[in-house]
Amino acid sequence: MQPLKTILMSDFPSSKYDRGKIFAKTGIKVGANYARHYLKTILGSTNKQNSAFYNQTAQEIFSEFTKLRGTALKIAQSLSIDQGFLPDEFSEVMTQAQYSVPPINRALVRSIIKQELGKFPEQLFDSFDANAVAAASIGQVHKAILKDGRKVAVKIQYPGVRDTITSDLGLAKTLFKRFVKNKAELENYFDEIETTLRLETDYIHEGRTIDRFYSRLADPQIDIPKWIEDYSTERVLTMTYLEGEHLKEFLARDPSQVEKNRYGQLLWDFFHEQILQFDEIHADTHPGNFLMTTDNKLGVIDFGCVKKFPNDFFRDYLLLLPTHLNRDIKEIIDLYKRLDVLKSNPEDDPVERKYFEFCINYGYTFAMPYESNSFDFGDPEYKELIRGYTRNAPLGNEIRGNKHFIYSTRVHLGLYHFLMKLGAEINTSKSREIVATAIKEFDFISISIKKSPGNYPGFDD
Amino acid sequence: MTKEIKEKIHIAKSGARLYTTNPYFSLRALADAADIEIDTIYKYFTNRRSILEFYYESIMIEYQESTQNIEGYLDFTLSEKLSNLALTLIDLMAEYKEFVRQTYKPFVVCNSRNQAFNQAFKVQLKIIYENDPHQSRLSTVFHTDLLYKAGLTNFHLLIRFWLNDESPANQKTMELVDKWTSFVQEVHYTAVIDKGFEFAKYIFYNSPLNPYGATSKNNSDE
């Protein structure tokens, strides 16, 4: 009977009290697990036992977070991208948050479609699968066939999910404010997250984004669905259905290195092509948002979170790559100051020095793939290096960095982690040229930056 | 659905629409609004009230019709079937919300002369409860008219809630339906009472204090 229980919509707590209760319950559970684990450690536990412990704790957190859906689950997804913070067992379990949340009551799905599209699914579609093919934080996806025979994916937004943005972020903000010194910066960060999340719950906005990305980036190797406007509203999104495998399924069938490299290269080029277009960037680089399609294309299936960064920020962000590779300390310090990473010269202040040393080493590691013409993301040493830096990040009681880092880092880190999981070897020569071209273009178009275009060896060559 | 039923539903819906602009509409005005001959109305109905009352019967007919077309309906859980009953009826009423606001109480809740909607609703509840194989053995004892009456009363209260629900796309009503049906399912699916009953039975028959007990001992002696 257990599977029946898991599909109940009642597991969706919408009130602030219900959601707070689940946060507290999760905290107690995790605390109890850690206490048990600590006792075992004293008695001498093995690596295998550690792994089982992490897995059990992660499963419990996942199970509670999936009940919350909405914003809290988005946080879980972010943790699954930024793997360095978490043991592997945690990341694997949290990755599920992207597309395997228990779906909602099937009668509700039917009612939502009636209210949003004016007719019941059986009247609207030639066929409609009441069982969701994927369920994530904000909505779930159903497979259907239109009367004209087209296969479509119908994304249904969970009822009350918009309310969770205010309540969950309010809760998180209250917690953070207790130990963060620069509260004004914190407000900026939260405003940025809230604005993005609100847009993610507007499916008309996402539909239009799908249209724009389709005309910009769909090509013989990249598959992007087509938006079906007549079957879409703010809470229901219909698009053509892409058949394919997610990364996990793809890797499970033990593909050849050539296949891995090919898909990795497609993803790498897809992101750099976006940089060159000076337009919106797909900002949710999560394995759940990409497919290896049945016709050997890279499918991109979720456009809820896209960002267009301000020119001055984006230029400086891209500049981080060549300046780190060149080890141009003066330029790096200037950049860090412009990007709000440093407040003063690191030579004069030990706190600033701590941030600087961490950032410059991490930045260099991050820029490494651009150093030569090819880079092997499957190299376990590189993975360990990235994880090591993330784990040893200097955590203080103040927020550092421009608010746009939230999503630019998410894009970049997500891309790296995807390629590391895939174990792909990537040709990066073209992307180096793209970054160099983009920086020059920004210098040209941006009137707010007075600095003259620099010369960035290794990128301009 | 037969042609006659379709015609009756069409007349009833036209009547419901007309009622909100003029509660005392004439049958001639209704015939014009429904684009039919007045004789057709007289063929099925005796007066204006019977037409308006039939509106509620008609949504129950439409519910049955639509449920037959749901892919995989038989796999629905008790909660999903109950939610489907409540939400489908509400979705069908949504187009005539103002009419429902004005007439639900006199035509359905407090109508002692015509109980057709209430009877049909209880029949649907009976079908749902009696055909769900996942319920505990003991919960089937409660499949009585009392249970269906309680379900109907809950539905009346739900309609009142929905009529006052101003949340976007009636999300509050959806959540209420979900929470209500999930609770009902939890009560009917739980094996706690079954297990408790078995435990109590075992204790009763095997307690040394029970003068009629120790059956296992007697059996083993034999």
Side-chain angles (χ1 to χ4, degrees), chain A residues 1 4-5 7-14 18 104-108 110-112 114-116 118 120 122 126-131 157-161 163 235, chain B residues 63 66-67 69-72 75-77 79-81 83-85 87-88 90-92 95 134 168-172 174-175 177-179 181-183 185-186 189:
Chain A
M1 293 301 99
L4 294 175
K5 194 182 172 191
I7 57 172
L8 292 181
M9 174 60 194
S10 62
D11 283 342
F12 184 85
S14 53
D18 285 344
I104 58 167
N105 180 332
R106 288 169 282 195
L108 286 189
R110 203 166 162 271
S111 185
I112 292 168
K114 169 78 169 85
Q115 292 196 23
E116 293 294 321
F120 289 115
E122 65 273 8
D126 205 32
S127 125
F128 181 87
D129 190 348
N131 297 307
Q157 192 174 114
Y158 304 131
V161 86
D163 299 337
R235 292 181 188 83
Chain B
Y63 156 77
S66 74
T67 300
N69 297 323
I70 299 174
E71 282 178 39
D75 299 332
F76 276 26
T77 60
S79 157
E80 288 176 320
K81 284 178 181 163
S83 297
N84 182 57
L85 173 63
L87 291 174
T88 305
I90 286 176
D91 288 336
L92 291 167
E95 291 169 46
H134 306 294
N170 296 318
Q171 290 186 5
K172 296 270 178 217
M174 274 193 196
E175 284 182 49
V177 169
D178 183 58
K179 286 178 195 301
T181 59
S182 303
F183 170 71
Q185 173 169 297
E186 213 44 57
Y189 280 9

Side-chain angles (χ1 to χ4, degrees), chain A residues 76-265:
Chain A
Q77 288 173 10
S78 304
L79 291 175
S80 74
I81 288 177
D82 306 333
Q83 286 188 19
F85 288 118
L86 300 168
D88 279 346
E89 293 81 0
F90 266 76
S91 301
E92 280 307 314
V93 172
M94 287 298 177
T95 303
Q96 293 175 42
Q98 183 69 15
Y99 46 91
S100 48
V101 173
I104 58 167
N105 180 332
R106 288 169 282 195
L108 286 189
V109 170
R110 203 166 162 271
S111 185
I112 292 168
I113 290 185
K114 169 78 169 85
Q115 292 196 23
E116 293 294 321
L117 300 177
K119 285 183 177 174
F120 289 115
E122 65 273 8
Q123 297 168 321
L124 275 173
F125 301 100
D126 205 32
S127 125
F128 181 87
D129 190 348
N131 297 307
V133 287
S137 55
I138 289 174
Q140 62 185 44
V141 178
H142 292 259
K143 213 170 169 177
I145 298 174
L146 292 180
K147 300 275 186 198
D148 63 11
R150 276 183 294 172
K151 272 189 188 173
V152 290
V154 185
K155 190 154 95 170
I156 315 280
Q157 192 174 114
Y158 304 131
V161 86
R162 286 181 191 190
D163 299 337
T164 71
I165 297 174
T166 314
S167 60
D168 287 357
L169 288 182
L171 205 62
K173 212 189 285 185
T174 312
L175 288 173
F176 274 100
K177 270 184 178 169
R178 291 185 187 277
F179 50 85
V180 167
K181 207 165 69 181
N182 46 347
K183 294 185 174 53
E185 292 295 320
L186 184 74
E187 289 288 342
N188 274 342
Y189 267 62
F190 272 97
D191 286 350
E192 174 70 10
I193 294 169
E194 187 164 352
T195 310
T196 311
L197 284 173
R198 290 220 173 273
L199 278 180
E200 276 194 66
T201 59
D202 179 356
Y203 285 173
I204 291 292
H205 178 266
E206 185 173 346
R208 289 184 182 134
T209 308
I210 292 174
D211 267 357
R212 288 194 299 275
F213 271 79
Y214 183 86
S215 35
R216 276 175 57 196
L217 294 155
D219 68 20
Q221 305 210 74
I222 300 288
D223 214 352
I224 291 171
K226 282 184 186 164
W227 180 37
I228 317 280
E229 192 177 355
D230 292 345
Y231 290 78
S232 300
T233 67
E234 273 193 23
R235 292 181 188 83
V236 173
L237 176 69
T238 306
M239 64 197 117
T240 51
Y241 192 86
L242 301 189
E243 301 268 6
E245 295 168 323
H246 285 296
L247 181 62
K248 198 176 171 186
E249 297 141 11
F250 174 74
L251 292 176
R253 64 172 172 83
D254 198 18
S256 68
Q257 189 59 44
V258 176
E259 270 186 285
K260 290 180 188 177
N261 292 350
R262 187 178 160 273
Y263 280 114
Q265 192 70 51

Side-chain angles (χ1 to χ4, degrees), chain A residues 50-100:
Chain A
N50 280 345
S51 177
F53 158 72
Y54 286 137
N55 203 292
Q56 184 203 344
T57 308
Q59 291 285 0
E60 282 175 6
I61 294 177
F62 176 72
S63 140
E64 293 300 324
F65 268 62
T66 53
K67 284 181 193 169
L68 288 166
R69 294 194 177 90
T71 315
L73 193 52
K74 275 269 161 203
I75 297 167
Q77 288 173 10
S78 304
L79 291 175
S80 74
I81 288 177
D82 306 333
Q83 286 188 19
F85 288 118
L86 300 168
D88 279 346
E89 293 81 0
F90 266 76
S91 301
E92 280 307 314
V93 172
M94 287 298 177
T95 303
Q96 293 175 42
Q98 183 69 15
Y99 46 91
S100 48

Side-chain angles (χ1 to χ4, degrees), chain A residues 114 118, chain B residues 13 17 55 90-98:
Chain A
K114 169 78 169 85
Chain B
K13 284 188 172 176
R17 217 171 287 127
Y55 165 80
I90 286 176
D91 288 336
L92 291 167
M93 286 186 209
E95 291 169 46
Y96 302 87
K97 197 168 183 177
E98 197 44 48

Side-chain angles (χ1 to χ4, degrees), chain B residues 2 9 16 26 28 41 49 51 57 59 62 83 87 97 135 148 159 161 201:
Chain B
T2 62
I9 292 175
S26 67
R28 166 64 56 201
I41 298 176
R49 176 148 179 140
I51 295 167
E57 282 179 67
I59 57 164
E62 285 189 311
S83 297
L87 291 174
K97 197 168 183 177
Q135 294 171 86
Y148 311 133
I159 293 298
F161 183 90
K201 200 170 78 177

